[in-house]
């Protein structure tokens, strides 16, 4: 019997999701499987918002941010009734393998379905890079590059006006965007949710930089850091006497054409998901480790805690004295 697989994207979108969809659709057709696009994540699965995909369904999307399958955060799905309905819907469409592209919550949803006997594959798609089992998730590299562009622009004007600027980036629990963009953008100070903030040290560093002739200070702060940016700006101004502005990058980081690295990662992961289904595997999480595409048990993968790169934080601190 010909296999039929479904693909959905769920949770916050990330640049490169389209490249992963394209890779999975093309690989499935190459292996003579039927392939179905499920629109609006798990919400669309519950509603039967499902359409067969052809080779041309994924033409001209490789370079586009967002997701052609659209996405949603579905509360309805997160209940035993939701899971049951999702399984019934897959059965109605005779879909016997499901590829889920998304972050932590989305892959947990896939794990729930696998416990009902559905063949599932999880592909990490989130700009936050907060999944413990993979070095990188699709969209992270693009987001870091977008933030980097913003840092360069802000640096120009901060320097002209001799200002301190706090640039707030995404990352609710994981400071990877802040750390990678902060380090490569030459930020004076990086604040991540994994480390306690030290305002005394921050102000000391700003003043020390001024003393040696720096005309600006850039602070990169992840959104998950508990102190609100406004409050932080007021404290800095009070203690250093320097004008302090705030830039919140928000959704700007989530869009845009994916970088070559994200397209490569997405292409390899989309292809791998289909190969694994073809070979009879189930319940696998696809990732990348040491530059190699890996797959491991979904349950085990989701239990792995993300360790932040403490040494990289330290290095960023040394390089910005
Ligand atoms: O999980 C990805 C993410 O972009 C987070 O960094 C951010 O906090 C959140 O999604 C925003 O979610 P929403 O699109 O629901 O506002």
């Amino acid at each position: 019997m010909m296999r039929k697989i479904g693909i959905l994207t769920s949770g916050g979108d990330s640049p490169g999701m389209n490249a992963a969809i394209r890779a999975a659709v093309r690989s499935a057709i190459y292996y003579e499987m039927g392939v179905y696009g499920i629109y609006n994540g798990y919400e669309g699965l519950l509603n039967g918002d499902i359409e067969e995909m052809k080779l041309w369904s994924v033409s001209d999307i490789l370079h586009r941010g967002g997701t052609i399958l659209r996405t949603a955060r579905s509360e309805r799905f997160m209940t035993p009734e939701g899971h049951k309905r999702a399984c019934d819907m897959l059965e109605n469409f005779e879909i016997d393998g499901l590829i889920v592209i998304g972050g932590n919550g989305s892959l947990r949803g896939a794990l729930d379905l696998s416990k009902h006997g559905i063949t599932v594959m999880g592909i990490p798609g989130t700009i936050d890079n907060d999944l413990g089992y993979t070095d990188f998730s699709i969209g992270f590299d693009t987001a870091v590059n977008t933030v980097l562009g913003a840092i360069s622009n802000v640096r120009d004007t901060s320097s002209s006006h001799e200002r301190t600027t706090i640039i707030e980036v995404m990352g609710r629990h994981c400071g990877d965007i802040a750390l990678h963009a902060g380090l490569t953008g030459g930020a004076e100070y990086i604040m991540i949710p994994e480390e306690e903030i030290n305002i005394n040290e921050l102000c000391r560093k700003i003043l020390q930089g001024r003393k040696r002739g720096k005309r600006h200070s850039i602070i990169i702060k992840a959104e998950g850091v508990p102190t609100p940016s406004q409050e932080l700006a007021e404290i800095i101004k009070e203690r250093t006497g320097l004008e302090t502005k705030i830039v919140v990058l928000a959704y700007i980081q989530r869009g845009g054409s994916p970088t070559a690295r994200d397209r490569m990662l997405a292409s390899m992961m989309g292809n791998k998901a289909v190969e694994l289904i073809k070979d009879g595997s189930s319940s696998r999480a696809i990732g990348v480790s040491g530059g190699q595409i890996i797959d491991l048990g979904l349950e085990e993968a989701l239990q792995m805690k993300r360790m932040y790169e403490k040494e990289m934080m330290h290095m960023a601190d040394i390089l910005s004295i």
Side-chain angles (χ1 to χ4, degrees), residues 177-194:
I177 296 180
L179 177 52
H180 287 239
L183 175 68
T184 54
E188 270 62 40
Y189 208 86
I190 299 169
M191 301 173 117
I192 60 173
E194 294 93 330

Side-chain angles (χ1 to χ4, degrees), residues 22-39:
R22 170 181 177 270
V25 168
R26 297 251 160 111
S27 303
I29 294 173
Y30 177 83
Y31 289 120
E32 299 181 337
M33 298 179 192
V35 58
Y36 289 77
I38 300 165
Y39 290 87

Side-chain angles (χ1 to χ4, degrees), residues 12 73 126-128 170-172 223 251 254:
R73 300 189 195 272
T126 163
I127 65 162
D128 286 12
M170 279 185 167
R172 283 172 294 186
E223 67 178 327
Y251 298 103
R254 264 212 339 227

Side-chain angles (χ1 to χ4, degrees), residues 9-50:
T9 48
S10 155
D13 63 352
S14 70
M17 280 184 162
N18 281 330
I21 296 167
R22 170 181 177 270
V25 168
R26 297 251 160 111
S27 303
I29 294 173
Y30 177 83
Y31 289 120
E32 299 181 337
M33 298 179 192
V35 58
Y36 289 77
I38 300 165
Y39 290 87
N40 293 320
Y42 292 112
E43 194 62 24
L45 176 55
L46 299 184
N47 296 335
D49 199 355
I50 300 172

Side-chain angles (χ1 to χ4, degrees), residues 15 58 98-99 114 123 128 172 204 214 237 252 259 283:
V58 290
L98 180 67
I99 298 174
S114 78
I123 295 182
D128 286 12
R172 283 172 294 186
R204 189 200 61 76
K214 278 196 186 185
K237 184 162 190 312
I252 287 172
T259 58
S283 233

